[in-house]
């Protein structure tokens, strides 16, 4: 027992007592991320109600605004990751993100307080169905607040996880006597993602409930306070952080490969394969590049002729990277290009998942009572989606896979591509159920019957949560297994980039459907009056796109082959298990 205590002391003390970094910085980083998530997630569920009922926007316009806001919020972490890793550094990126998010939330809160920043007649009348359109000044204030919050989210979310890992990996004495760094890092990652899930639950329940029952001034004021706490927690531990210096930009490295390959475009491919050598860094274990995208191999090719041999100098700085690139740099770009087709299939999945604005309007028109006195806020139904994701993550390894293995009589394992495919199909099933529910709700409303129970929407939220959990987690695993370690920051933000493009595509789809269905003075399918519109028809359009996207996904899986690049097909091979792939 004494020996174990001594070993534990050797591991823990450096993490707690080192001059910089260590476990003592973890609570501040996790609190920063958790408070930011509660604040930002808490604004989303009921925002469609605020824009349509209190800000004077139509349903189609408000939905497009939220699509663009969501798209910008998902896209900015990619920009933040590149800037943090290449130019700014992670600490300044998170710090500036905190300030931008706080300013954006304060500006949004002011739209509920001061008439110059809101629609005066709406504020004075207190009407829940405001029809007064906002002026250009009002819209400018609103859009500026959204832009600041998107920039801030990009700064924080792009670097928070990597910044926390820096405190453990780079702090003095952070390794145990055996050279292991896994225990502290794994603990941080586990608490990091647990904080995100917990933040989402608090946001869609507590914050959404406050907005619906205490009004918009208090409801939007709570996120301001939470964002202030997020920034305060982060800056409070500033003297103790490890602040890693920036490295070479990935964009520059990619540009060097493309420019060098283009410079050597006249080199015959057959000659390149039959003669000459390839420039390798010391870390590379293979001597030849992979056969995929062979044109890019010209960037690392060294012909045998003497003039070309001069490219590889003996000097300590090595060759000019704009004339000759190491093989691993070429393979980095190849690995990114080859996963793009499969990555693109997640965009339509994001389109399905981003229909929350319309589902909130749908839920708001239904009976949301749970018992005689308690009414679930329309924006809080996403709680069931978050709960489904949480249960999936918790039970997948401990219950689902063991149960499947017991049923089949042998160990089974679902590869990332299979889980992505299941997620895509579940999203189509979920939206089909939502369309059927909306059709029944509309018929009941047309017959002047009592409002349909909103509990009929719970299956949609649960199934879409399961689909999102399977697809998104599988995407992350797939990207991490295919991209090199130097691109881990890119891998962690690819799902967010897909969500950003999904928001833009969703906005285009809503605008197109609104335009084509409202021609000739007809009522639009996505009308502000949900009973006069046909949201169910719009949902069926997205279902058709989802099914077409599933066929595209199958084609991408058939075309994708990892080749023998030293990694193998991580989950489809090995472990002597029966793999469903």
């Amino acid at each position: 027992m004494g020996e174990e205590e001594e070993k534990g002391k050797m591991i823990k003390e450096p993490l707690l007592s080192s001059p910089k970094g260590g476990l003592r910085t973890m609570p501040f980083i996790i609190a920063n991320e958790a408070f930011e998530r509660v604040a930002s997630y808490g604004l989303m569920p009921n925002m469609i109600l605020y824009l349509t009922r209190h800000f004077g926007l139509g349903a189609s316009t408000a939905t497009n605004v939220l699509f663009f806001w969501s798209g910008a919020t998902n896209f900015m972490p990619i920009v933040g990751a590149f800037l943090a890793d290449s130019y700014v550094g992670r600490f300044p990126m998170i710090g500036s993100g905190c300030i931008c998010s706080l300013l954006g939330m304060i500006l949004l809160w002011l739209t509920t307080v001061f008439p110059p920043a809101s629609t005066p007649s709406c504020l004075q009348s207190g009407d829940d169905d405001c029809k007064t359109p906002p002026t250009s000044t009002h819209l400018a204030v609103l859009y500026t607040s959204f832009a600041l919050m998107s920039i801030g989210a990009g700064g924080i979310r792009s670097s928070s996880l990597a910044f926390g890992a820096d405190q453990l990996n780079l702090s003095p004495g952070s390794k145990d006597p055996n050279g292991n760094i896994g225990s502290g890092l794994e603990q941080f990652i586990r608490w990091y993602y647990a904080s995100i899930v917990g933040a989402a639950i608090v946001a869609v329940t507590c914050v959404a409930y406050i907005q619906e029952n205490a009004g918009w001034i208090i409801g939007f004021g709570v996120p301001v306070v939470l964002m202030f706490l997020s920034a305060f927690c982060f800056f409070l531990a500033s003297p103790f952080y490890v602040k890693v210096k920036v490295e070479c930009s990935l964009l520059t490295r990619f540009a060097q490969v493309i420019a060098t390959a283009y410079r050597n475009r006249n080199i015959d491919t057959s000659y390149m394969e039959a003669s000459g050598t390839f420039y390798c860094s010391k870390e590379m274990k293979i001597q030849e590049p992979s056969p995929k995208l062979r044109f890019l191999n010209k960037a690392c090719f060294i012909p045998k002729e003497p003039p070309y041999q001069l490219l590889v100098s003996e000097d300590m700085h090595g060759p000019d990277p704009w004339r000759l690139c190491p093989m691993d740099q070429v393979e980095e770009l190849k690995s990114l290009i080859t996963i793009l087709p499969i990555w693109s299939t997640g965009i339509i999945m994001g389109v399905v998942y981003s229909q929350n604005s319309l589902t909130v309007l749908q839920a708001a028109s239904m009976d949301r009572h749970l018992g005689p006195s308690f009414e679930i806020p329309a924006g809080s139904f996403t709680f069931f989606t978050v709960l489904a994701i949480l249960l999936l993550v918790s039970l997948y390894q401990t219950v689902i896979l063991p149960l499947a293995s017991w049923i089949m009589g042998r160990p089974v394992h679902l590869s990332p591509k299979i889980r992505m495919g299941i997620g895509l199909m579940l999203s189509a099933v979920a939206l089909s159920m939502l369309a059927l529910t909306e059709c029944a709700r509309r018929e009941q409303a047309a017959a002047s019957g009592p409002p349909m129970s909103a509990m009929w929407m719970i299956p949609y939220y649960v199934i879409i949560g399961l689909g999102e959990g399977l697809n998104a987690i599988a995407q992350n695993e797939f990207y991490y297994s295919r991209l090199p370690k130097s691109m881990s920051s890119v891998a962690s933000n690819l799902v967010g980039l897909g969500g950003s493009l999904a928001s833009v595509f969703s906005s285009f789809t809503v605008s197109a459907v609104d335009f084509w269905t409202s021609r000739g003075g007809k009522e639009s399918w996505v009308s502000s009056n949900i009973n006069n519109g046909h949201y169910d028809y719009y949902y069926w359009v997205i279902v058709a796109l989802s099914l077409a996207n599933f066929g595209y996904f199958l084609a991408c899986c058939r075309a994708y082959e990892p080749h023998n690049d030293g990694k193998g097909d991580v989950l489809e091979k090995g472990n002597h298990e029966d793999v469903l792939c």
Side-chain angles (χ1 to χ4, degrees), residues 132 140 148 175 219 331 402 409 540 549:
T132 304
L148 287 172
K175 298 182 180 181
E331 292 300 318
W540 287 120
N549 181 63

Side-chain angles (χ1 to χ4, degrees), residues 224-240:
V224 172
V225 175
L226 292 172
M227 193 61 234
F228 173 80
L229 292 175
S230 173
F232 178 77
C233 289
F234 179 73
F235 288 114
L236 185 63
S238 177
F240 306 108

Side-chain angles (χ1 to χ4, degrees), residues 338-349:
T338 53
I339 67 169
L340 288 181
I342 290 181
W343 164 80
S344 65
T345 63
I347 296 176
I348 297 299
M349 175 72 189

Side-chain angles (χ1 to χ4, degrees), residues 55-77:
F55 209 80
L57 296 180
S60 176
T61 302
T63 301
N64 280 331
V65 169
L66 294 183
F67 279 149
F68 279 113
W69 180 30
S70 176
T73 302
N74 286 322
F75 177 74
M76 290 309 295

Side-chain angles (χ1 to χ4, degrees), residues 445-462:
S448 300
M452 183 177 178
S453 173
M455 303 306 145
W456 285 103
M457 296 183 66
I458 292 179
Y460 157 76
Y461 283 106
V462 171

Side-chain angles (χ1 to χ4, degrees), residues 370-412:
L370 197 63
S373 58
F374 180 73
E375 186 178 36
I376 301 176
S380 293
F381 277 84
T382 50
F383 165 78
F384 297 103
T385 298
V386 177
L387 182 62
I389 295 175
L390 180 61
L391 291 176
L392 175 66
V393 172
S394 303
L395 302 179
Y396 180 76
Q397 293 285 353
T398 58
V399 176
I400 298 176
L401 287 185
L403 181 61
S405 300
W406 178 77
I407 293 174
M408 298 188 66
R410 55 185 181 269
V412 297

